[in-house]
């Protein structure tokens, strides 16, 4: 009886782990590419990850801790973080430069993000393009 009970418990535990836990503990791997279309300086590519349904902002914060990637942002009350600078290079409204956010999906299509880094939730193998450009 006791053995039967613990076996059932073990089975339940395994099932719970497989069905509920694994999607939440897996990482959404992405790459982050930093490019400059104004001075056409060299590009940098980083490997990073978002957590399950986590934001790009979180992935960038984590990358900043672990790699030589660096960014600053200002907070907009409604739209969240606005990326001001990446790797020491800052956008400047007087020169009409900014860091543009694009996403290359695994099938190769490139999307201009319609939300900022705080709202964008990466999906697996997204290539995040931070493109220094003019408007
Ligand atoms: C002009 C504008 C810009 C300009 C702002 C500079 C300037 N000199 O004005 C530029 C070209 C830099 C810009 C960039 C982006 N923008 Co814009 N922008 C606008 C727009 C058309 C008007 C904003 C405005 O002047 N409002 C009037 C003033 C009085 O209000 P304000 O609150 O002070 O305005 C400031 C903020 O809107 C801020 N801002 C502008 N865009 C964004 C985006 C984010 C994520 C944040 C946090 C702040 C922010 O800049 C304004 C001036 O300081 C709005 C759409 C709209 N009609 O509101 C989109 C809008 C705000 N932008 C948007 C987006 C998505 C972006 C980008 C992420 C686009 C991209 N893929 O790169 C980038 C930001 C990337 C980054 N570095 O973080 C979205 C935000 C939606 C959301 N929930 O996140 C909007 C609503 C347009 C849309 N797609 O629907 N943008
Ligand atoms: C995600 O990246 C990590 C570290 O680079 C790697 O060990 C893991 O296998 C990757 N996951 C998938 C599903 O590709
Ligand atoms: C960066 O932005 C400029 C202007 O929008 C564009 O011509 C260029 O192709 C962009 N670069 C990338 C890598 O998307």
């Amino acid at each position: 009886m006791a053995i039967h009970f613990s076996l059932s418990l073990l089975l339940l535990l395994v099932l719970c782990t497989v069905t509920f836990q694994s999607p939440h503990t897996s990482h959404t791997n992405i790459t982050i590419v930093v490019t400059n279309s104004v001075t056409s300086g060299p590009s940098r590519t980083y490997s990073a990850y978002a957590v399950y349904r986590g934001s790009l902002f979180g992935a960038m914060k984590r990358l900043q801790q672990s790699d030589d990637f660096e960014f600053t942002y200002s907070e907009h009350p409604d739209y969240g973080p606005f990326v001001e600078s990446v790797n020491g290079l800052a956008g400047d409204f007087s020169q009409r430069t900014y860091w543009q956010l694009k996403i290359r999906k695994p099938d190769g299509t490139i999307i201009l993000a319609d939300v900022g880094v705080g709202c964008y939730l990466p999906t697996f193998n997204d290539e995040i393009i931070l493109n220094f450009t003019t408007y």
Side-chain angles (χ1 to χ4, degrees), residues 7 16 35 50 57 75 78 82 94 97-98 105 115 117-118 125 130-131:
L7 273 177
C16 285
T35 66
F57 182 63
E75 296 247 28
D78 295 290
F82 180 87
S94 72
T97 55
Y98 78 112
K105 304 306 284 182
V115 293
V117 296
N125 278 351
L130 298 174
N131 182 23

Side-chain angles (χ1 to χ4, degrees), residues 75-93:
E75 296 247 28
H76 187 275
D78 295 290
Y79 301 129
F82 180 87
V83 175
E84 298 282 0
S85 78
V86 178
N87 292 345
L89 177 62
D92 183 344
F93 290 164

Side-chain angles (χ1 to χ4, degrees), residues 50-95:
V51 299
Y52 175 72
R53 287 192 60 73
S55 70
L56 173 58
F57 182 63
M60 288 167 67
K61 281 281 208 177
R62 186 178 305 101
L63 181 63
Q64 181 158 247
Q65 301 299 311
S66 67
D67 210 328
D68 62 345
F69 171 84
E70 173 188 13
F71 77 106
T72 62
Y73 59 93
S74 57
E75 296 247 28
H76 187 275
D78 295 290
Y79 301 129
F82 180 87
V83 175
E84 298 282 0
S85 78
V86 178
N87 292 345
L89 177 62
D92 183 344
F93 290 164
S94 72
Q95 298 187 55

